[in-house]
Amino acid sequence: MSKQTLSGKRIAFLATDGFEQVELTKPWDSIKDAGAEVVLVSPKTGKIQGMNHDEKADTFKVDKAVDSVSAEDFDGLVLPGGVANPDALRMCEDSVSFVRDFFKQHKPVAAICHGPWTLIEADVVRGRRVTSWPSLKTDLKNAGANWVDEECVCDEGLVTSRNPDDLPAFCDKAIEEFAEGKHAEQTA
């Protein structure tokens, strides 16, 4: 990828305690290397706890509280997985509204592993082709999504992947979608 592919773009990463660390750091580094400004947004201020599966990993400084930003401030959104992270985010109305607003504004969103749980709560997966960690299959189908078991799925600006093994394809596709910008069919 060209270092300038995302020059001038601002990409939000929405996470809280319990995110799978590599699902934040790999996309973060890839998107930043492609020229974007990356911003860690959270319902928490201060620092949030990363995880390596079920073991505590590093902490990360939050750049902006979710209640102080708007989807209008960004060109795209990344939702890392981890079990506790999206479970907490879907219980935070400011986070759910923030996610939903990206779809209302037709902006690209990339979610990996358990990240689509927050998409379900935002009611933005109905009729969409997606993938995720296998345990979310029934939840996504019940929310109206067409769940498939593939490395990386892109449906009109919505990029989803299953797990950390899929990160190379996930990062490449997310960068491509962020570079393309708004997608008319990306809507709530």
Side-chain angles (χ1 to χ4, degrees):
M1 267 301 145
S2 163
K3 186 142 181 82
Q4 297 308 311
T5 302
L6 298 179
S7 181
K9 302 273 186 176
R10 193 167 188 238
I11 307 300
F13 281 70
L14 178 62
T16 193
D17 291 328
F19 64 91
E20 186 67 28
Q21 183 163 313
V22 71
E23 293 173 0
L24 182 137
T25 57
K26 290 287 186 193
W28 180 279
D29 291 343
S30 295
I31 291 166
K32 189 174 180 182
D33 287 349
E37 176 188 354
V38 289
V39 180
L40 183 55
V41 177
S42 180
K44 263 186 88 170
T45 57
K47 293 187 176 186
I48 56 175
Q49 179 67 57
M51 301 293 289
N52 288 328
H53 305 294
D54 59 353
E55 301 289 325
K56 284 186 177 180
D58 300 322
T59 58
F60 292 78
K61 184 183 177 304
V62 172
D63 296 314
K64 298 281 184 182
V66 72
D67 64 1
S68 72
V69 295
S70 164
E72 292 177 4
D73 302 332
F74 301 96
D75 299 291
L77 173 66
V78 176
L79 297 170
V83 178
N85 168 53
D87 194 45
L89 291 176
R90 67 185 179 155
M91 298 300 295
C92 171
E93 187 50 46
D94 287 333
S95 295
V96 173
S97 293
F98 183 63
V99 170
R100 189 180 302 117
D101 286 347
F102 279 87
F103 288 81
K104 287 180 179 177
Q105 296 172 27
H106 312 289
K107 294 180 178 178
V109 174
I112 189 166
C113 200
H114 287 78
W117 257 345
T118 312
L119 299 177
I120 292 168
E121 194 65 32
D123 193 23
V124 294
V125 296
R126 190 170 316 283
R128 305 299 290 273
R129 189 169 180 270
V130 299
T131 195
S132 68
W133 183 256
S135 67
L136 274 66
K137 175 182 178 179
T138 300
D139 294 343
L140 284 159
K141 283 183 165 188
N142 287 342
N146 174 18
W147 188 90
V148 295
D149 184 12
E150 295 177 13
E151 177 182 55
C152 185
V153 175
C154 184
D155 184 330
E156 297 294 338
L158 173 59
V159 178
T160 52
S161 283
R162 303 168 299 190
N163 60 54
D165 293 340
D166 299 338
L167 280 165
F170 176 77
C171 293
D172 286 349
K173 193 62 172 173
I175 289 168
E176 180 183 325
E177 295 304 300
F178 294 147
E180 287 177 7
K182 292 185 177 185
H183 292 69
E185 298 301 316
Q186 173 78 317
T187 189

